[in-house]
Amino acid sequence: MSYFSYKNDILHAENVALDAIAQQFGSPTYVYSKAALTANFSAYADACRQHSPAPDSSLICYSVKSNSNLAVLQLLSRLGSGFDIVSGGELLRVIAAGGDPRKVIFSGVGKSREEMRLALSHDILCFNVESIPELHRLNEAAAAMGKRAAISLRVNPNVDAKTHPYISTGLKENKFGVAYEDALACYRTAAVLPHIEVAGIDCHIGSQLLDDAPLLEALDKLIDLVDQLASEGIHLHHLDIGGGIGITYDDEKPVAIGSYLGRLFARIDAWRQDKYQGAPIKVLFEPGRSIVGNAGILLTEIQYLKHSEAKNFAIVDAAMNDLMRPAMYEAWHGVQTVARRNSAEQVYDVVGPVCESGDWLARSRPLAVEAGDLLALMSAGAYGMTMSSNYNTRGRAAEVMVDGEQVHLIRQRENPADLFALESLLA
Ligand SMILES: *Cc1c(COP(=O)(O)O)cnc(C)c1O
């Protein structure tokens, strides 16, 4: 079900017309649907309850980097979510939003000492460690604070996620994780460090995966490692399969969350029965895009139409600094006119005002539009606002969350003075 649909030829977010939002909050503006966020999170939570009913036997750790607005984090936290963070800043966001740091896992290849201290001081659930030097640095940081850091090793299972090379992370040549062949040796090292507590294992093989076969293949490889570790007396408490399930941008047909989790828990259950008499190992997930991607759109206004011999351009007030994905990965976002027109369509490239040829948002789209019309760039809830920048001294867009008939401003539009407030002139 889509939470963005036409009513009387006007595109709505839930029950609010998008032209009314543009009128009240200006453009460009990110618009999120609370009901969509709730439904997407619940798809995970319901499947976990169904397939892994034992208390505390699963945890969904929403990937903060996909959309880190405080109101989004607050909503997910209230629904019971934990969080997967990749920086100290994201931890502070989770806390500011009322999230529980003891449900936080910390991923990323480059954690600084300060970030480790911050996370240790808040007793986060687990550090997903990606290298041996990081393990030693964490051991030292924990020692200095008289603590033990719970860790999981991010293992690179060397499976092909069959997705865009920039968002594929589980192959040998990626910078992420420790090589599968080296994992046992890394765990042996970790097990004897006095301020490290070996807690789990994790992987994250890529993003926008449509099929769960690579994830189930990665799961089998993790399970093999858990068994080998157990035979050496290293017993893990959790298994973290990462995020990565894709969404429909155009006509992609991603696996349903319920079916994926059903298959995943079936394998885990069979293994637990066989090897551990059903003793629970907690299962963690790190979904991002599949929770927020289709829960948000970017609302923008056409400034000019430009017709050249080779192409027609719709020049809008959003740009690559607002939505980087097309420029960065040639990503495809649907474009819908907020008010339907009956006039004939023409084929347009939708482009922004930034001084780069890479500043395009959509290419070769049939649209019936005039200058001043509003467009919605669909499926922009994930890696939209969080990847935005101030390039060209453009303030970031406003963000609103729609809840039924209500609209909540959840981030004000930045104004130019904000953008250079931290700068100083020479004496
Ligand atoms: C980005 C990321 C995720 C979330 O990926 P999605 O494709 O958005 O689900 C999860 N885990 C890690 C370690 C990540 O870097």
Side-chain angles (χ1 to χ4, degrees), residues 137-214:
R137 178 182 275 190
L138 183 60
N139 184 54
E140 282 162 26
M145 297 172 74
K147 295 200 173 205
R148 290 187 86 203
I151 66 112
S152 132
L153 280 184
R154 177 167 178 179
V155 174
N156 190 335
N158 199 29
V159 300
D160 186 355
K162 299 189 178 62
T163 184
H164 190 285
Y166 282 15
I167 49 177
S168 171
T169 53
L171 279 170
K172 274 189 174 165
E173 57 266 34
N174 289 120
K175 71 175 177 182
F176 299 103
V178 299
Y180 191 79
E181 298 71 27
D182 302 336
L184 282 177
C186 291
Y187 270 107
R188 288 182 198 120
T189 304
V192 297
L193 289 174
H195 292 275
I196 294 292
E197 182 192 324
V198 175
I201 187 164
D202 82 281
C203 71
H204 172 71
I205 60 172
S207 201
Q208 187 54 12
L209 276 65
L210 299 176
D211 182 8
D212 58 9

Side-chain angles (χ1 to χ4, degrees), residues 138-325:
L138 183 60
N139 184 54
E140 282 162 26
M145 297 172 74
K147 295 200 173 205
R148 290 187 86 203
I151 66 112
S152 132
L153 280 184
R154 177 167 178 179
V155 174
N156 190 335
N158 199 29
V159 300
D160 186 355
K162 299 189 178 62
T163 184
H164 190 285
Y166 282 15
I167 49 177
S168 171
T169 53
L171 279 170
K172 274 189 174 165
E173 57 266 34
N174 289 120
K175 71 175 177 182
F176 299 103
V178 299
Y180 191 79
E181 298 71 27
D182 302 336
L184 282 177
C186 291
Y187 270 107
R188 288 182 198 120
T189 304
V192 297
L193 289 174
H195 292 275
I196 294 292
E197 182 192 324
V198 175
I201 187 164
D202 82 281
C203 71
H204 172 71
I205 60 172
S207 201
Q208 187 54 12
L209 276 65
L210 299 176
D211 182 8
D212 58 9
L215 287 159
L216 297 173
E217 192 186 331
L219 172 68
D220 287 341
K221 292 190 134 185
L222 292 195
I223 283 177
D224 281 348
L225 273 179
V226 176
D227 286 341
Q228 290 179 52
L229 288 165
S231 72
E232 297 193 15
I234 301 174
H235 299 283
L236 302 186
H237 309 295
H238 75 245
L239 187 159
D240 175 352
I241 194 69
I245 293 292
I247 61 167
T248 303
Y249 285 99
D250 184 6
D251 53 4
E252 304 91 336
K253 299 218 162 38
V255 60
I257 302 302
S259 338
Y260 159 51
L261 265 61
R263 280 189 281 274
L264 182 114
F265 279 114
R267 284 200 194 198
I268 291 175
D269 282 341
W271 163 64
R272 289 195 286 215
Q273 288 306 331
D274 179 35
K275 289 267 176 48
Y276 302 96
Q277 291 77 48
I281 183 166
K282 186 166 174 166
V283 182
L284 270 52
F285 300 91
E286 305 171 352
R289 189 189 312 267
S290 52
I291 290 180
V292 284
N294 273 325
I297 61 116
L298 176 58
L299 183 61
T300 184
E301 187 189 83
I302 299 177
Q303 303 300 300
Y304 303 100
L305 294 180
K306 192 166 171 177
H307 305 275
S308 73
E309 208 172 300
K311 268 189 191 266
N312 300 314
F313 295 100
I315 302 169
V316 297
D317 61 3
M320 64 186 289
N321 75 294
D322 299 300
L323 183 62
M324 267 279 258
R325 300 186 65 260

Side-chain angles (χ1 to χ4, degrees), residues 49-131:
R49 259 191 295 278
Q50 184 187 345
H51 299 293
S52 184
D56 207 32
S57 64
S58 64
L59 182 64
I60 302 151
C61 293
Y62 166 69
S63 172
V64 174
K65 76 177 192 288
S66 60
N67 186 321
S68 60
N69 184 285
L70 293 190
V72 171
L73 302 182
Q74 176 193 36
L75 172 66
L76 294 173
S77 165
R78 285 180 177 169
L79 293 170
S81 191
F83 297 95
D84 174 36
I85 60 165
V86 292
S87 72
E90 287 189 348
L91 175 56
L92 295 175
R93 276 186 177 275
V94 168
I95 293 168
D100 183 354
R102 286 161 308 171
K103 286 188 186 174
V104 166
I105 53 178
F106 193 169
S107 303
V109 292
K111 301 175 194 79
S112 70
R113 288 187 183 84
E114 296 80 78
E115 288 176 319
M116 288 176 173
R117 279 196 286 270
L118 178 71
L120 284 165
S121 73
H122 287 285
D123 295 319
I124 65 163
L125 179 64
C126 188
F127 289 83
N128 288 351
V129 170
E130 304 214 13
S131 67

